[in-house]
């Protein structure tokens, strides 16, 4: 059996295992190991797994993951999401759809410190959903605003997904963070504009809330300033070249703890809970990356990615057509499985292909991250949708899916601009 055929069968087997709801990391590790056994031998496969596992778990670069996660956990458990929501509400709440816009604005702020779709959705949704219910908002708009706001968690720095992609595809974490910042802000602003347009056309969707005075508005900024200052120091220092990614993550985590202690909101109980959650999430993420690297090594041994790139390069199709096909694969993949899982599976197979076509890998990374995060609000998986419906038992998943659907328009508009003009992403790199 040829190595290429072994790789194709391995991918088919892995997809079958995933349909049985086996965790992505175990599926990739198992298929990668046994595939290497078939192509080489048992000793080579054991050496491959041992070397990759050791290199990954001992990597200094991977210290970024638990430190940024710890920063987000501490800020979340000390009430940061509530303060961000209150600040945004003081500024936007009096406008038509203002509470929904507040939800999106707070999601932008919390996404910039959490690096996670699900964490942002749960944190902001727990505060926003009761408020929108109190003001008589349409359940569809309320659920949709919470679910779609959380999608920014995977795009804005310090996105855990971008860190993993950088490590797996040997890119610069700093470059990916720089490239993602402007697209993330643009998408956030387009989501805000969508809320205002919808509620201007149909005011019954989101009645205006109470109007705060200018004094209240400016005083509310102090409540969120500590979070903004922390982001500015950690991520700004990274962009300015003052910190390495690991140092920036360390500064962020330490700063979050200091803020919690000085404000007397961080108790020993909350700190311990933050540590446990950080360990749990970090172990899952790092094991996922290690398994993905083993799977990628197996594909490299088979030479399938290179054969695929050579075969596609010889097709009588324009590179843009092939790119659109690849984007379609990511759109479907993100819809039927966890976005992060699909990203790590696809990197060893599709990234060499895109590189062969002549596209910039940093640009492509941001594009596919945007595409796969849409899967968090589309059926059948829709992680953010099910988190949102779980926060409010009166919201069923179908209602939230329908509420999130109009927000696909600004995402499509943003991606169209970024594909036509790549410099809108690459100017910061």
């Amino acid at each position: 059996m040829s190595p290429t055929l072994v790789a194709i069968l391995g991918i088919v087997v892995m997809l079958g295992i995933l349909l049985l709801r086996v965790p992505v990391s175990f599926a990739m590790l198992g298929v990668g190991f046994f595939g290497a056994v078939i192509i080489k031998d048992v000793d080579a496969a054991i050496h491959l797994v041992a070397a990759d596992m050791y290199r990954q778990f001992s990597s200094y670069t991977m210290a970024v993951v638990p430190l940024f996660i710890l920063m987000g956990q501490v800020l979340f458990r000390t009430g940061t999401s509530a303060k961000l929501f209150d600040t945004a509400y003081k500024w936007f709440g009096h406008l038509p759809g203002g509470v929904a816009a507040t939800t999106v604005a707070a999601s932008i702020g919390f996404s910039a410190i959490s690096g996670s779709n699900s964490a942002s959705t749960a944190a902001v949704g727990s505060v926003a959903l009761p408020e929108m219910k109190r003001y008589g908002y349409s359940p569809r708009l309320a659920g949709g605003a919470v679910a779609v706001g959380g999608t920014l968690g995977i795009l804005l720095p310090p996105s855990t997904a971008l860190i993993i992609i950088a490590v797996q595809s040997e890119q610069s974490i700093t470059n990916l963070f720089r490239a993602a910042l402007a697209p993330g802000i643009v998408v956030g602003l387009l989501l805000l504009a969508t809320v205002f347009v919808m509620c201007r056309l149909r005011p019954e969707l989101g009645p205006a809330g109470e109007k705060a005075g200018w004094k209240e508005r400016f005083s509310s900024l102090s409540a969120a300033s500590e979070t903004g200052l922390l982001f500015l120091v950690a991520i700004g220092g990274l962009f300015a070249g003052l910190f390495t990614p690991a140092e920036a993550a360390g500064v962020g985590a330490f700063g979050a703890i200091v803020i919690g202690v000085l404000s007397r909101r961080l108790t020993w109980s909350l700190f311990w809970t933050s540590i446990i959650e950080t360990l749990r999430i970090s172990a899952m993420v790092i094991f996922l990356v290690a398994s993905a690297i083993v799977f990628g090594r197996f594909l490299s041994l088979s030479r399938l990615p290179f054969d695929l790139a050579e075969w596609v390069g010889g097709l009588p199709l324009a590179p843009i057509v092939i790119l659109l096909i690849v984007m379609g694969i990511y759109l479907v993949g993100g819809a039927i499985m966890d976005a992060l899982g699909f990203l790590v599976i696809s990197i060893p197979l599709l990234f060499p292909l895109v590189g062969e076509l002549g596209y910039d890998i940093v640009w492509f990374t941001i594009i596919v991250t945007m595409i796969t995060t849409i899967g968090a609000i589309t059926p059948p998986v829709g992680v953010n949708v099910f988190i949102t419906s779980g926060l409010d038992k009166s919201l069923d998943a179908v209602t939230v899916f329908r509420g999130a659907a109009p927000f696909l328009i600004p995402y499509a508009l943003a991606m169209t601009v970024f594909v036509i003009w790549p410099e809108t992403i690459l100017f910061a790199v």
Side-chain angles (χ1 to χ4, degrees):
M1 188 182 299
S2 70
T4 301
L5 182 56
V6 171
I8 294 172
L9 289 176
I11 293 172
V12 172
V13 169
M14 185 182 68
L15 293 176
I17 294 173
L18 292 175
L19 290 176
L20 298 176
R21 299 195 177 279
V22 174
V24 175
S25 53
F26 289 104
M28 287 192 296
L29 180 61
V31 170
F33 175 77
F34 287 108
V37 169
I38 295 173
I39 293 177
K40 292 291 187 180
D41 54 54
V42 175
D43 290 339
I46 291 175
H47 175 74
L48 172 70
V49 172
D52 284 338
M53 285 291 187
Y54 175 78
R55 182 167 57 251
Q56 200 56 59
F57 284 107
S58 63
S59 170
Y60 173 72
T61 304
M62 288 306 292
V64 174
V65 174
L67 289 171
F68 271 132
I69 291 174
L70 178 60
M71 181 181 79
Q73 284 292 321
V74 170
L75 291 173
F76 167 50
R77 296 182 188 283
T78 52
T80 298
S81 56
K83 291 196 299 180
L84 289 173
F85 185 89
D86 180 68
T87 300
Y89 178 76
K90 291 291 196 302
W91 287 86
F92 300 112
H94 65 286
L95 302 171
V99 185
T102 296
T103 301
V104 175
S107 295
I108 295 172
F110 194 78
S111 293
I113 56 175
S114 70
S116 166
N117 274 1
S118 54
S120 181
T121 302
V124 176
S126 61
V127 179
L129 287 174
E131 288 296 311
M132 285 190 275
K133 181 178 287 188
R134 182 163 71 92
Y135 282 101
Y137 271 59
S138 159
R140 284 173 58 177
L141 177 60
V146 170
V148 78
T151 60
L152 296 169
I154 199 174
L155 183 58
L156 283 167
S159 164
T160 304
L162 291 178
I163 295 172
I164 291 173
I165 294 172
V167 171
Q168 192 180 351
S169 59
E170 299 181 348
Q171 297 186 64
S172 164
I173 295 175
T174 304
N175 283 347
L176 288 187
F177 278 6
R178 284 175 175 165
L181 186 59
I185 293 173
V186 168
V187 171
L189 293 176
L190 288 174
L191 295 177
L192 281 172
T194 302
V195 171
F196 289 132
V197 169
M198 289 171 60
C199 293
R200 181 69 67 181
L201 296 176
R202 296 181 59 191
E204 70 277 8
L205 290 177
E210 301 163 359
K211 186 173 183 177
W214 286 105
K215 184 178 180 180
E216 286 182 278
R217 294 183 190 181
F218 284 109
S219 63
S220 71
L221 293 176
S222 63
S225 61
E226 56 196 23
T227 306
L229 179 62
L230 180 61
F231 180 84
L232 182 63
V233 171
I235 305 300
L238 174 63
F239 288 172
L242 300 177
F243 306 135
T244 65
E247 289 168 348
V251 168
F254 179 72
I257 294 171
V258 169
I259 290 171
V261 170
L262 293 180
S263 63
R264 298 184 179 180
R265 295 191 302 269
L266 183 62
T267 64
W268 275 112
S269 175
L270 290 177
F271 181 68
W272 182 247
T273 302
S274 299
I275 292 292
I276 294 299
E277 276 299 294
T278 297
L279 289 173
R280 184 185 66 82
I281 297 171
S282 300
M284 177 194 71
V285 170
I286 294 173
F287 186 63
L288 177 65
V289 175
S291 301
I293 290 178
V294 171
F295 180 69
R297 294 286 188 272
F298 155 59
L299 292 182
S300 296
L301 286 174
S302 72
R303 296 201 55 80
L304 177 62
F306 311 105
D307 292 342
L308 178 64
E310 185 178 343
W311 175 72
V312 171
L315 292 175
L317 296 173
I320 186 63
V321 175
I322 300 173
L323 176 68
L324 292 175
I325 293 172
V326 171
M327 290 170 62
I329 292 172
Y330 275 100
L331 184 63
V332 174
I336 62 176
M337 67 179 293
D338 174 69
L340 183 57
F342 186 76
L343 281 169
V344 296
I345 288 174
S346 66
I347 286 171
L349 190 62
L350 295 178
F351 272 48
L353 168 61
V354 173
E356 187 71 21
L357 293 174
Y359 290 104
D360 188 276
I361 293 299
V362 172
W363 169 83
F364 179 70
T365 298
I366 305 303
I367 291 294
V368 298
T369 301
M370 287 181 61
I371 294 173
T372 48
T373 196
I374 292 175
I377 56 171
T378 54
V381 175
V383 175
N384 285 14
V385 169
F386 289 105
I387 290 174
T388 303
S389 62
L391 293 172
D392 186 341
K393 299 305 179 184
S394 66
L395 274 177
D396 62 273
V398 174
T399 300
V400 182
F401 274 126
R402 293 176 66 187
F407 293 99
L408 296 177
I409 297 173
Y411 259 111
L413 177 62
M415 281 190 290
T416 300
V417 171
F418 297 146
V419 169
I420 295 176
W421 293 288
E423 59 273 14
T424 53
I425 290 177
L426 296 175
F427 77 94
V429 177

